[in-house]
Amino acid sequence: MTSQLLPPNPCLLAILLIVNYHHQPRLLFHYPPRPGEDNSHFATYLKSDLTDDETTSSDEESSSSANEHSSKKESREKSKSKVALEADVEGAGSASPENIERLVSMQRQPKWDDIFAYGAINLAKLLCPASSAHKKRFEMSLNDKAFIGWPVFSRDGQWQRRRKKKRPRAGDQLSEEKIQSGQTERSNLAAKSTLHLDEELDATSGQDTDIDGQHTSRGEAETLLGQKVANPQSDQIREEAFKPKKAKEELVSKDTLKMFHVVFVLDPPPLEYHLRTKEMYDHVIKKFSRALKWEQARSNYVSKEASAISSASKGHYKASVSETLASMYQQILLQSSLAKAISTLFNSISNSKIAHIHLTPTLSLSLQIPIPTSTSILPSPISPQLPGLWLTTANSLPSDDEINTTTSQLASHFTLLLLSDLSNILSDVNATASPLTGPLTHYLRVYKPTKSFLQTSQTSGIPLPDIQFLASHLIYWRRARAIPPLHQRDAYIVSPNADMQKLVASTSSFAKLFPTLPSLPKILNMLSFTPRPYSALIPSKNHKEAYLEILAWLLRYGWVTQLRTFAWIKVPSHIKDIVAKQPEPTPPQPVSKPDDGPSVSTANLNPPPPNQLSPPSPTSSTNSNRTSFPYPSSPPIPSLIPDPRHASGLPSRHLAAISAYVLEQQGKETSCAWDRCVDYFDGRHAVEIIAVREGWKRKRVDELMAGWERLGILIRGRHW
């Protein structure tokens, strides 16, 4: 990762639901009740009301006293409003019934749908674009606030595009089955119309009939059946066929939903505007709106929920009273699953959590803005800090040199690190009735952070793609993180990004988990010395499992990070001398063909004979009499090969010479190992993954690296 990571900041202020019913757009619902203000009292009231609905009848007595208290409060509010009304009447100079009714209606106008001091009607018109914006990104800025959505329109009352039927070609002929079915239909029609044939001949003379979309003229029917045929429903069919288009549109009810638009209101910082709006649109807005569109096309879901929200919000005019507004929202959330989904979405996304939404019994989805799990760059003192974030350059996605992998899968040489206790994750998995419950439980029981996905697949018998899918599922739900497998021969250091402010609290929790082992400050102190293998901290073989559990705990909370080794290929001077003395390979010249057009003759490219050379000039003879001293040639400077996997030209010749040099000095077996490890020596692949991916022992890899360093063809460096 080259860019600086930023802490999570959804910047979400409100979610609006705009609908259009063929007359004018309407702001139907928004959450929270007071956008941009403190809504904690609303959340407390709604939470208490929702919990009261689930309590038993024994709690009704205690709630009666609260109702009396609320009724007294409402009476005080009424008295205050009455005094204010009388003052307004006195200020108007008249106490006529018309003025009183006007003032009462002004006081009863709902104020709960005013958003950021904008009127609901005007804001709805602004947030209702033209139909050309169908399924496109909508973005509007008002006073440093961004309104972003994905509007969805209907097409002639249809929410799903109809597939166009292929028109038959002119040369196509009807099959025998269609001809037989047409003959049977016409024979049945003739049998039914025989009794009234004489009475309806005049009425149907010269007219065409339309039966099940097949247009058959009266003349064709007479030809096929040998008699005249009349359709008793021809008049009605003809009237419907020749109705004007406007009359058909009038048949559509004015209450039919024409458009819906879920708008997210954001307040991003100016320097992060594009980043915050893009991640909200890509991960939340578009996915949520597409799910609503699919359910609307399938079951008319949005229209039904809009009607439920409208009926629940009627009669609540005293929006200035907090309890009345909260009670209205309580009724809306209880009666409308869409409103409940919007509230759940707002509460989860605004707190950087995963929103699990249930729209219908058959449709549920999970939405989130991904949070960073690791960083490769240590934040500077003036940049945003992310204390406790895992500091590493390890990439869990497969590299280009892996075979039979896709970018959506995890690398087979990685493993999982659980972010909470295994018992808690297993209890949560078993509590949900899901098809993945059994496979997840089985995988979590055989999983070990010291074994890679490939090794776990080989030992447990679970297919590798299934393990990668289950691991991705746990990572998506923020229950695990992909890491390189833990090993006692690897080196670990205290992370420079560790959150030392949590040291006191973490020390007590560490002591509860590992009471008989050294304390957390002591472990961190031992890891702060000169980097060495983690096995140096383990006192005996009996303590190996316990100390590996300690290592997993330290990595889980970002206290330590792995010190990884990276290598580059060095081209020594004597290798460059050998390559310089070798003749350069001549590239094959293309042979010109007779049909390729005019080409340059090869006779013109041959040098002229000696007798045709021009005589030397006086200046050249004068210069030839001077004595020339050769300059001493300096030895070539050693260099590095940055990308040996894609080396070409001179670097590829250097690699071939180095391979021959290794074969000469260390033998065939070491030369074969060198050829297999060359692609890892690019400064991007850690040396520790060689043993995992090649199936070698760590001790052998260390011996090979040390031998190649002695030959002067390898340079190693260490960082996270």
Side-chain angles (χ1 to χ4, degrees):
M1 288 174 279
T2 57
S3 60
Q4 184 72 38
L5 291 179
L6 297 175
N9 185 16
C11 312
L12 184 59
L13 297 179
I15 301 178
L16 317 180
L17 177 60
I18 310 295
V19 295
N20 192 355
Y21 285 98
H22 286 278
H23 44 85
Q24 67 176 4
R26 178 186 175 188
L27 177 57
L28 186 63
F29 178 75
H30 67 269
Y31 193 89
R34 298 292 187 189
E37 302 178 8
D38 185 15
N39 293 270
S40 58
H41 54 287
F42 290 106
T44 304
Y45 185 84
L46 290 174
K47 185 177 180 180
S48 62
D49 287 343
L50 293 176
T51 53
D52 289 343
D53 294 338
E54 298 176 358
T55 54
T56 58
S57 59
S58 61
D59 297 331
E60 294 179 356
E61 296 179 359
S62 60
S63 62
S64 61
S65 60
N67 293 334
E68 293 176 0
H69 177 71
S70 61
S71 61
K72 291 179 181 179
K73 187 173 182 180
E74 289 181 1
S75 62
R76 290 195 299 268
E77 295 287 346
K78 289 180 180 179
S79 62
K80 291 180 182 179
S81 61
K82 184 176 180 181
V83 173
L85 178 62
E86 292 175 357
D88 292 336
V89 170
E90 292 177 0
S94 174
S96 61
E98 293 79 9
N99 291 337
I100 294 176
E101 184 178 359
R102 179 177 58 83
L103 293 173
V104 169
S105 62
M106 290 174 60
Q107 282 194 345
R108 288 186 176 181
Q109 288 180 356
K111 301 179 181 179
W112 67 275
D113 54 354
D114 292 344
I115 309 296
F116 306 113
Y118 298 109
I121 298 177
N122 297 330
L123 189 61
K125 291 180 179 179
L126 290 175
L127 298 177
C128 181
S131 59
S132 58
H134 175 59
K135 297 196 303 182
K136 296 180 181 179
R137 177 172 176 172
F138 173 87
E139 185 172 351
M140 182 182 68
S141 297
L142 289 176
N143 294 336
D144 298 334
K145 295 179 180 61
F147 295 78
I148 306 175
W150 197 71
V152 181
F153 289 80
S154 65
R155 299 181 179 181
D156 298 331
Q158 300 295 328
W159 295 91
Q160 191 172 5
R161 180 181 296 179
R162 294 181 178 179
R163 296 182 178 179
K164 296 182 179 180
K165 296 182 180 180
K166 296 183 179 179
R167 296 181 179 180
R169 298 180 181 178
D172 293 344
Q173 297 180 357
L174 295 176
S175 61
E176 296 181 359
E177 296 180 358
K178 293 184 178 181
I179 295 175
Q180 293 178 0
S181 61
Q183 292 178 355
T184 53
E185 289 179 0
R186 292 185 178 92
S187 61
N188 295 334
L189 180 61
K192 292 180 181 179
S193 59
T194 303
L195 297 177
H196 307 281
L197 181 61
D198 297 334
E199 299 176 359
E200 297 176 354
L201 277 177
D202 297 335
T204 59
S205 171
Q207 299 174 0
D208 294 340
T209 59
D210 190 0
I211 304 172
D212 295 335
Q214 297 178 359
H215 299 275
T216 305
S217 64
R218 181 170 176 267
E220 293 176 353
E222 293 175 355
T223 304
L224 292 174
L225 302 178
Q227 54 183 345
K228 296 183 179 180
V229 182
N231 186 6
Q233 299 179 351
S234 59
D235 294 339
Q236 182 180 357
I237 295 173
R238 185 179 67 256
E239 290 177 1
E240 293 181 359
F242 288 95
K243 280 184 179 179
K245 187 176 181 180
K246 293 183 179 180
K248 292 184 179 180
E249 293 179 354
E250 291 177 358
L251 295 176
V252 180
S253 175
K254 294 183 178 180
D255 296 333
T256 303
L257 185 64
K258 181 181 178 182
M259 183 275 297
F260 69 88
H261 189 193
V262 182
V263 183
F264 287 64
V265 186
L266 308 181
D267 186 17
L271 297 179
E272 304 175 10
Y273 181 88
H274 295 287
L275 173 65
R276 300 305 180 183
T277 55
K278 184 179 185 302
E279 64 184 9
M280 181 66 74
Y281 176 79
D282 293 340
H283 299 288
V284 180
I285 298 176
K286 188 175 182 179
K287 294 181 179 179
F288 183 64
S289 300
R290 291 182 68 179
L292 293 180
K293 176 186 177 297
W294 184 85
E295 193 62 27
Q296 171 66 16
R298 190 182 70 88
S299 62
N300 204 24
Y301 171 76
V302 179
S303 301
K304 296 177 182 177
E305 294 300 319
S307 301
I309 294 174
S310 299
S311 61
S313 60
K314 288 182 180 179
H316 295 270
Y317 297 104
K318 299 177 182 179
S320 59
V321 182
S322 300
E323 294 182 0
T324 307
L325 181 59
S327 64
M328 181 188 69
Y329 267 80
Q330 177 194 4
Q331 295 296 326
I332 293 176
L333 297 181
L334 289 176
Q335 296 182 15
S336 173
S337 62
L338 177 57
K340 182 65 177 177
I342 291 176
S343 65
T344 303
L345 186 63
F346 175 83
N347 294 329
S348 300
I349 297 300
S350 59
N351 294 319
S352 299
K353 297 180 180 179
I354 302 176
H356 190 59
I357 302 170
H358 296 277
L359 295 177
T360 61
T362 59
L363 178 61
S364 62
L365 66 157
S366 302
L367 301 173
Q368 65 165 321
I369 297 177
I371 59 176
T373 58
S374 64
T375 178
S376 60
I377 303 174
L378 187 64
S380 62
I382 60 175
S383 61
Q385 301 296 312
L386 295 171
L389 191 64
W390 185 32
L391 187 64
T392 184
T393 55
N395 186 12
S396 60
L397 296 179
S399 56
D400 297 337
D401 52 349
E402 291 195 48
I403 305 174
N404 297 329
T405 57
T406 58
T407 56
S408 60
Q409 292 179 340
L410 297 172
S412 59
H413 59 276
F414 268 64
T415 187
L416 278 187
L417 176 67
L418 299 182
L419 301 181
S420 59
D421 295 336
L422 178 60
S423 58
N424 297 336
I425 296 178
L426 285 175
S427 61
D428 294 341
V429 169
N430 294 325
T432 58
S434 172
L436 295 178
T437 301
L440 273 176
T441 304
H442 177 55
Y443 170 67
L444 289 173
R445 294 189 184 279
V446 301
Y447 134 88
K448 289 184 179 180
T450 57
K451 302 294 183 181
S452 64
F453 297 138
L454 181 59
Q455 293 172 339
T456 304
S457 174
Q458 294 172 352
T459 56
S460 63
I462 305 175
L464 179 60
D466 294 350
I467 290 180
Q468 292 172 329
F469 174 77
L470 296 174
S472 302
H473 181 78
L474 292 172
I475 292 173
Y476 176 83
W477 287 98
R478 304 178 185 177
R479 297 302 181 93
R481 185 170 64 220
I483 64 168
L486 305 181
H487 200 275
Q488 59 181 356
R489 296 184 65 91
D490 291 336
Y492 296 90
I493 60 173
V494 178
S495 176
N497 199 36
D499 191 1
M500 292 299 174
Q501 296 180 356
K502 298 181 180 179
L503 181 60
V504 177
S506 299
T507 301
S508 59
S509 60
F510 182 87
K512 293 179 181 179
L513 292 174
F514 311 102
T516 60
L517 296 175
S519 62
L520 177 60
K522 181 66 174 178
I523 295 292
L524 297 179
N525 183 33
M526 290 188 292
L527 292 172
S528 299
F529 289 106
T530 303
R532 50 184 174 168
Y534 186 73
S535 58
L537 278 68
I538 303 176
S540 65
K541 292 183 178 180
N542 297 332
H543 293 81
K544 180 180 177 180
E545 295 295 333
Y547 271 79
L548 287 177
E549 291 180 2
I550 290 177
L551 179 60
W553 189 91
L554 294 174
L555 278 173
R556 178 188 302 169
Y557 296 104
W559 290 105
V560 299
T561 187
Q562 181 182 357
L563 191 64
R564 312 171 75 205
T565 305
F566 298 86
W568 294 264
I569 297 178
K570 176 184 176 182
V571 184
S573 301
H574 63 276
I575 296 295
K576 289 191 173 183
D577 290 336
I578 294 174
V579 173
K581 294 177 182 179
Q582 295 176 353
E584 295 185 4
T586 57
Q589 297 181 358
V591 180
S592 60
K593 298 180 180 180
D595 298 337
D596 291 342
S599 59
V600 181
S601 176
T602 57
N604 298 331
L605 300 179
N606 297 329
N611 55 359
Q612 295 183 5
L613 293 175
S614 59
S617 61
T619 56
S620 61
S621 60
T622 305
N623 294 334
S624 62
N625 295 330
R626 298 177 182 177
T627 305
S628 60
F629 297 94
Y631 290 97
S633 60
S634 59
I637 302 175
S639 61
L640 300 179
I641 299 178
D643 192 0
R645 188 164 177 261
H646 300 92
S648 61
L650 187 60
S652 64
R653 296 172 61 193
H654 289 161
L655 289 175
I658 292 174
S659 180
Y661 179 65
V662 173
L663 177 62
E664 178 184 353
Q665 297 292 328
Q666 296 181 344
K668 184 177 180 180
E669 183 179 357
T670 307
S671 177
C672 294
W674 167 265
D675 294 337
R676 293 179 65 178
C677 296
V678 162
D679 293 343
Y680 297 102
F681 302 149
D682 56 356
R684 294 189 298 270
H685 293 80
V687 175
E688 287 78 9
I689 68 174
I690 297 178
V692 180
R693 295 176 61 175
E694 299 296 337
W696 299 342
K697 292 185 178 181
R698 298 291 184 102
K699 186 177 180 180
R700 185 194 178 192
V701 175
D702 293 341
E703 292 176 353
L704 290 173
M705 296 291 123
W708 293 333
E709 274 189 317
R710 287 193 298 267
L711 292 180
I713 59 175
L714 195 70
I715 294 178
R716 286 191 288 181
R718 309 177 89 180
H719 65 86
W720 54 75

